[in-house]
Amino acid sequence: MRLFKKISLSSAPFYASLVVITSLAFFIGIFWAINEYQAYQESIENIRNTYRSQYENRVKEELDKVVELIDYRRRQSALRVEAEIRERVQAAYTIASHNYRLYKDERSIDEIRSMVIELLRPMRWNNERGYYFSGRLKEARIDLFADEPFFEGKSALEFERIVGVDIVGDISKIISEKEAGLYRYTLKKPAYPGKVFPKVSFVKYFPPLDWFIGAGIYSDDLEEALKHEVLARIQNIQFGKDGEVFCFRLDGTILTNQNERLVGRSISTLVDADGKKYGDALYHASTTGSQNGYVHYTIQKEGWGSRQQKLCYVQVYQEWGWGLGAAMFMDAMELSIKNETETYRRISFKNVFTFIVLFAVAVIFLLLSTFFYSLKIKQGISRFTHFFRAATDSKEKISTEDLVFREFEDLSHLANRMVEDRIRNELLLHRDELRLDTLLRLGMMEKYSLQDKYDFILRRIVQITRSEEGYLALVNSTQSHITICSFIVSSEEDVVAREGELNQARTVEEGGLPGKAVMRKTAVIVNSQGTSLVDCYPYTKEVFRHLDVPIYNDGKIVVVAGVCNNGEKYDNSDIRQMTMLLEGMWLHVLRQCSEEELARLERQIIAVSEEERSNIGRNLHDDLGSHLTGVELLSKALEQRLSVEAPERSKQLGTIRDLIKDAIEKTRRLSHGLYPVHVIEYGLESAIEELVVEVENIFKVNFDLSWEGKSDDLGKNTATHLHYIIREAVFNAARHGKPQNIGVYVQVEEGKFSVRIVDDGIGVDATPAATGLGFHTMKYRAKAIGAVLVISSGKEGGTLISVTGEGKE
């Protein structure tokens, strides 16, 4: 019996909050004195962490502003350049248009082009960095390249071979799409081998001259000018009381610093007041990992007479290969800590009462809010409980409306997905269960014919694949002919009408769909409409979707199964299901054939063995036994004669006569063991009674025999095998089990028999009978008469052998 009832999940937050708050109040009251000191230490540490965090945020914010400044200046520069080259192109376009209108009737197109080229060539801007270029679009030729006249007159192919980029082709594409546009590329100049020049340009098409007119500028020149401008700006940046921003290249060279003596030096040479190389730390933080980080170091601050902590944040500006840093002193932190510490000590005791009052208010508020949300949780859980209860019998999905918590909405999505997965998995599970059930049932169909098993497997394949029709075909060992062994169609009349036709073997080439699967040596899936009826053997109706699967054994195809006209498309899962079913069926067929052959051989071996035993037994009984009996009679007559003439010789002959009697008895027992004539003549019960007397005399054990029923109800063959089983079990127990008592209990009723051989020896595990020839012989004999043989041993010793079955043979 439970001491406490289980609480619901919805009320758990309320009770948990109540327990936590009560426990917290209890421990605060008990350990207030101890915790006050710890709280003081923690407060100091929190103040340090807070100020440290504030310094870190401040230097990071300042450095982020610098990065934003650089990005802004780059964007503004790019926009300014783009606008400028657009204006330059428009001006060139106006010049070309004006000259064309003036001279189109007086001069040729080439002359007008030359005039415009001479006007545009000397025009430069942006500190002589900007220039004009133009070319013919259809002829794909450069007419003007003011910055590098070497390219003028070159065709597009020659230009591309020199610079490595199809610039004329790219310009043609821009003009064909929108007649004008920006174009960025890299230029190789013959005068500067191995060096590339990034450029930005704007091109526009002038149709009267079939010309593209462009204005370009080298972007790296702009970048260098912008870098100098930004460095000058960074040099003058200050924040706070003593904050500074500095810059260095990623090779370690300092570019800007408040201390101008450090400019141009390597950052690795910077050492703080403690001898620590903080320059290496700055460089390492900016070039490894996330390429940013904080570095603390100490500096001997002028005018203070003591060393002061300084915090620096560094970050890489990858586009320019710069390392940026923002640093400031942390001298205000210690002063703030001192002031805060004094304040804390002064008011800590005064806050005890206030804390208790506020704690009580917080407890009430927290409990009320917890109770409110517990109700909401209960409502949500109730909805999910109802859903899961309904989901066990239906496929209904849960509605996401009126769910307060986001987690419940997530759960609802997962629950709905669970329903969808359940529907899909139920289908897959049903197919797997049906396949397993098929294989299990196939294993229990030992008394059915192979044809019945073929029909059963095919019906299940059609059911699992949800098909309308199907077939099962056997392939001969030479892979040349196939024979339909089972066929299922929507109308059984078609099967009856075509039974003779289907049972006939066909060549693989004329075998229709199964023949194609054999020739392709792999599964065939066809999910398209309109398959020709000529190729659809053994089907006769229209086949719009079919699947044919071959099964291999020892590298050869032995069976082909096919189905058709599924409501959905066939896929690899259908192949997998059919393959496992067919492989299981074929293994079952092989096992059945092997078991039948093994049983036939066992019966033959036992029959030959019985015949040989009988021959040997008869020879011992009729030949050797008769000879020994005659010798014994002759010795008896001689003994009687010598008893009068030579009494001493008569005694010696008596000894010989006793040995002859023993030999006769041993011969008789041996012949009875080999040839159970007494079983055939007098019945099994008399033979077992004789066996009891024999075992008691030889092994000196107590024997208990119980017989119920008539031995005549057992057939001759069954009685003979049971005699040998009982004899083998009894002699094994007497020889190896070392028992004091052995019992044989037989029940015969209406052709059914039950035999139990029990002993109180050392058990079957300690005797050779468990693995010896006698054990296997008993198994073979029990199997020959269709009986069940079971050998078991008790925990405290002893062996029980039981044989049950029916025997009329």
Side-chain angles (χ1 to χ4, degrees):
M1 183 176 179
R2 297 181 182 274
L3 297 177
F4 302 99
K5 293 183 178 179
K6 290 185 177 180
I7 62 175
S8 64
L9 181 61
S10 59
S11 59
F14 178 81
Y15 288 114
S17 299
L18 182 60
V19 171
V20 169
I21 293 171
T22 304
S23 302
L24 183 61
F26 177 74
F27 284 109
I28 288 177
I30 294 178
F31 300 106
W32 175 260
I34 298 174
N35 290 340
E36 189 67 19
Y37 177 76
Q38 294 178 348
Y40 166 73
Q41 296 295 332
E42 291 176 0
S43 176
I44 299 299
E45 185 62 27
N46 288 337
I47 292 172
R48 292 182 182 273
N49 293 335
T50 300
Y51 274 90
R52 187 180 296 112
S53 175
Q54 291 176 357
Y55 279 112
E56 290 177 353
N57 291 336
R58 178 62 185 280
V59 293
K60 187 177 183 305
E61 288 175 0
E62 293 298 331
L63 195 59
D64 289 341
K65 291 178 182 179
V66 173
V67 174
E68 291 176 0
L69 171 65
I70 296 175
D71 291 337
Y72 173 76
R73 297 293 296 175
R74 293 184 68 191
R75 290 193 300 270
Q76 290 298 316
S77 176
L79 293 175
R80 186 177 65 252
V81 170
E82 290 177 7
E84 185 175 7
I85 60 177
R86 284 175 185 268
E87 293 176 359
R88 294 294 179 177
V89 169
Q90 187 60 40
Y93 188 88
T94 302
I95 292 172
S97 177
H98 177 72
N99 281 271
Y100 177 75
R101 285 197 305 271
L102 289 177
Y103 302 106
K104 66 180 179 178
D105 297 329
E106 301 175 5
R107 299 184 182 183
S108 65
I109 296 297
D110 290 336
E111 290 177 339
I112 297 174
R113 287 173 180 160
S114 298
M115 293 175 60
V116 177
I117 287 173
E118 295 306 321
L119 291 173
L120 297 180
R121 185 187 303 277
M123 293 185 182
R124 296 297 181 94
W125 66 92
N126 200 353
N127 295 327
E128 299 298 322
R129 296 188 183 94
Y131 62 92
Y132 284 109
F133 63 91
S134 65
R136 305 176 192 181
L137 194 61
K138 293 181 180 178
E139 297 180 13
R141 182 177 300 277
I142 302 297
D143 289 336
L144 171 64
F145 206 100
D147 184 63
E148 192 68 36
F150 171 79
F151 295 124
E152 294 180 1
K154 298 291 190 295
S155 65
L157 293 176
E158 293 175 332
F159 194 77
E160 180 182 1
R161 187 165 52 251
I162 295 172
V163 303
V165 181
D166 186 12
I167 297 176
V168 178
D170 294 341
I171 293 174
S172 299
K173 184 177 180 180
I174 294 172
I175 290 175
S176 63
E177 292 177 354
K178 46 188 178 181
E179 294 188 356
L182 283 171
Y183 178 46
R184 298 179 183 272
Y185 61 96
T186 57
L187 182 65
K188 294 181 180 178
K189 295 182 179 182
Y192 302 94
K195 186 176 181 181
V196 295
F197 298 88
K199 297 187 62 178
V200 57
S201 61
F202 183 82
V203 294
K204 187 173 182 180
Y205 183 56
F206 185 64
L209 299 181
D210 186 32
W211 241 20
F212 59 85
I213 302 175
I217 190 169
Y218 292 101
S219 56
D220 54 352
D221 293 338
L222 296 176
E223 287 285 327
E224 287 300 324
L226 183 60
K227 287 180 182 179
H228 289 293
E229 180 183 346
V230 170
L231 288 175
R233 182 71 177 271
I234 291 175
Q235 182 72 28
N236 297 322
I237 292 178
Q238 290 185 346
F239 60 92
K241 183 178 179 181
D242 46 19
E244 62 174 335
V245 178
F246 61 92
C247 175
F248 59 91
R249 283 199 298 265
L250 293 184
D251 61 0
T253 303
I254 299 174
L255 299 178
T256 62
N257 195 283
Q258 293 293 329
N259 187 354
E260 296 182 358
R261 291 176 298 178
L262 299 179
V263 176
R265 292 174 55 183
S266 174
I267 195 171
S268 60
T269 61
L270 300 181
V271 180
D272 67 358
D274 294 329
K276 173 185 174 183
K277 292 186 176 181
Y278 70 91
D280 290 339
L282 294 174
Y283 183 79
H284 180 77
S286 61
T287 56
T288 59
S290 58
Q291 297 185 336
N292 59 58
Y294 296 95
V295 176
H296 293 264
Y297 53 95
T298 57
I299 295 294
Q300 188 72 32
K301 193 173 182 182
E302 297 180 1
W304 283 69
S306 62
R307 294 178 297 180
Q308 299 294 322
Q309 289 284 333
K310 197 169 187 179
L311 174 66
C312 179
Y313 176 74
V314 291
Q315 179 179 342
V316 167
Y317 192 76
Q318 198 66 46
E319 289 80 355
W320 285 356
W322 282 4
L324 300 173
M328 66 182 303
F329 284 101
M330 303 173 65
D331 50 315
M333 183 179 67
E334 293 298 331
L335 181 60
S336 298
I337 290 175
K338 182 179 180 180
N339 295 334
E340 288 294 330
T341 302
E342 293 296 330
T343 302
Y344 182 85
R345 290 176 178 175
R346 186 175 61 254
I347 65 174
S348 58
F349 293 102
K350 296 181 181 179
N351 289 338
V352 172
F353 178 76
T354 305
F355 171 78
I356 294 175
V357 174
L358 294 177
F359 183 82
V361 173
V363 167
I364 296 172
F365 176 76
L366 183 59
L367 291 178
L368 290 177
S369 61
T370 304
F371 179 74
F372 172 77
Y373 281 107
S374 295
L375 295 178
K376 293 296 182 181
I377 293 173
K378 183 177 182 181
Q379 180 183 0
I381 292 176
S382 298
R383 295 190 63 182
F384 277 95
T385 302
H386 173 74
F387 163 74
F388 283 114
R389 287 175 179 171
T392 57
D393 301 320
S394 65
K395 310 276 189 312
E396 179 183 357
K397 296 184 179 181
I398 190 171
S399 174
T400 59
E401 298 179 357
D402 301 330
L403 292 176
V404 177
F405 299 100
R406 185 175 58 210
E407 288 78 4
F408 283 159
E409 291 184 357
D410 295 338
L411 283 175
S412 65
H413 294 309
L414 293 175
N416 292 335
R417 187 184 302 173
M418 178 194 71
V419 173
E420 296 172 357
D421 292 342
R422 175 190 168 189
I423 296 173
R424 182 170 58 257
N425 292 334
E426 281 181 353
L427 177 60
L428 297 176
L429 181 60
H430 175 70
R431 296 176 68 182
D432 290 338
E433 289 177 347
L434 193 58
R435 171 173 53 80
L436 293 176
D437 177 71
T438 302
L439 295 176
L440 290 175
R441 289 179 179 272
L442 184 64
M444 295 185 292
M445 297 174 65
E446 297 180 355
K447 297 182 179 180
Y448 287 80
S449 65
L450 285 179
Q451 184 60 49
D452 293 335
K453 295 176 181 179
Y454 291 152
D455 295 339
F456 171 70
I457 289 294
L458 182 57
R459 285 196 301 271
R460 285 302 178 89
I461 288 176
V462 172
Q463 183 180 356
I464 289 174
T465 58
R466 306 176 303 283
S467 303
E468 292 183 359
E469 301 183 2
Y471 69 85
L472 194 63
L474 298 177
V475 185
N476 66 343
S477 59
T478 61
Q479 310 287 283
S480 61
H481 288 75
I482 60 172
T483 304
I484 303 297
C485 63
S486 183
F487 189 58
I488 295 178
V489 296
S490 55
S491 175
E492 293 295 334
E493 297 177 357
D494 295 342
V495 178
V496 176
R498 302 182 60 199
E499 185 173 1
E501 174 191 352
L502 294 174
N503 291 334
Q504 295 179 357
R506 282 196 175 200
T507 63
V508 171
E509 291 77 9
E510 299 175 351
L513 297 181
K516 290 181 180 179
V518 173
M519 289 188 291
R520 294 186 182 182
K521 300 185 183 301
T522 185
V524 179
I525 297 180
V526 176
N527 289 314
S528 59
Q529 300 282 345
T531 304
S532 173
L533 291 177
V534 177
D535 300 327
C536 289
Y537 175 83
Y539 307 117
T540 57
K541 296 183 178 180
E542 180 182 2
V543 175
F544 56 87
R545 189 178 290 125
H546 68 88
L547 169 62
D548 306 277
V549 179
I551 299 301
Y552 284 82
N553 183 51
D554 292 336
K556 294 183 178 180
I557 298 176
V558 292
V559 178
V560 178
V563 290
C564 70
N565 296 346
N566 184 0
E568 300 176 356
K569 290 184 178 181
Y570 292 108
D571 54 22
N572 290 330
S573 65
D574 296 312
I575 296 178
R576 183 177 67 88
Q577 295 287 347
M578 291 179 62
T579 301
M580 288 189 289
L581 271 179
L582 293 172
E583 288 178 347
M585 179 202 73
W586 191 252
L587 290 176
H588 180 79
V589 170
L590 294 178
R591 189 194 70 177
Q592 181 176 347
C593 295
S594 301
E595 288 179 350
E596 291 175 355
E597 180 66 17
L598 180 61
R600 186 185 66 80
L601 293 175
E602 288 178 352
R603 288 194 297 270
Q604 186 175 355
I605 291 171
I606 292 175
V608 172
S609 174
E610 290 300 322
E611 184 178 356
E612 291 299 321
R613 290 169 64 98
S614 299
N615 290 335
I616 296 172
R618 282 193 298 269
N619 290 334
L620 287 174
H621 185 272
D622 298 338
D623 192 1
L624 181 60
S626 299
H627 281 290
L628 290 175
T629 302
V631 172
E632 193 271 333
L633 292 174
L634 291 175
S635 63
K636 180 179 180 181
L638 182 59
E639 181 186 5
Q640 291 175 353
R641 183 180 300 177
L642 290 176
S643 63
V644 177
E645 299 176 359
E648 293 182 0
R649 296 288 179 89
S650 175
K651 292 180 180 180
Q652 295 176 355
L653 188 59
T655 303
I656 294 174
R657 184 184 172 195
D658 292 337
L659 294 175
I660 294 173
K661 288 181 180 180
D662 291 340
I664 292 172
E665 180 63 24
K666 292 180 179 179
T667 302
R668 184 186 67 82
R669 288 200 304 269
L670 183 60
S671 65
H672 285 180
L674 294 174
Y675 177 59
V677 62
H678 50 298
V679 177
I680 299 172
E681 295 178 356
Y682 304 108
L684 178 61
E685 184 177 2
S686 299
I688 295 176
E689 290 175 350
E690 185 177 348
L691 174 65
V692 169
V693 175
E694 181 181 358
V695 172
E696 286 180 339
N697 291 334
I698 296 175
F699 296 102
K700 308 302 180 183
V701 296
N702 299 323
F703 213 106
D704 183 20
L705 172 64
S706 174
W707 184 283
E708 296 181 7
K710 298 179 180 180
S711 60
D712 296 339
D713 291 341
L714 298 174
K716 175 183 175 182
N717 185 48
T718 302
T720 302
H721 284 295
L722 283 179
H723 173 262
Y724 283 126
I725 291 174
I726 295 172
R727 183 180 182 86
E728 185 69 30
V730 169
F731 271 90
N732 276 336
R735 287 194 187 100
H736 308 294
K738 302 178 182 180
Q740 295 181 355
N741 300 283
I742 299 177
V744 177
Y745 307 99
V746 183
Q747 291 182 341
V748 181
E749 183 180 359
E750 296 180 357
K752 298 181 180 180
F753 61 86
S754 173
V755 179
R756 293 188 302 123
I757 302 96
V758 185
D759 68 77
D760 57 358
I762 60 178
V764 68
D765 292 336
T767 66
T771 56
L773 180 61
F775 170 71
H776 295 289
T777 304
M778 288 191 291
K779 283 181 59 179
Y780 290 147
R781 292 186 179 279
K783 190 174 182 179
I785 60 176
V788 178
L789 176 69
V790 179
I791 300 178
S792 59
S793 181
K795 295 182 179 180
E796 298 179 358
T799 304
L800 170 63
I801 301 176
S802 65
V803 186
T804 57
E806 300 179 1
K808 282 290 186 181
E809 299 182 2

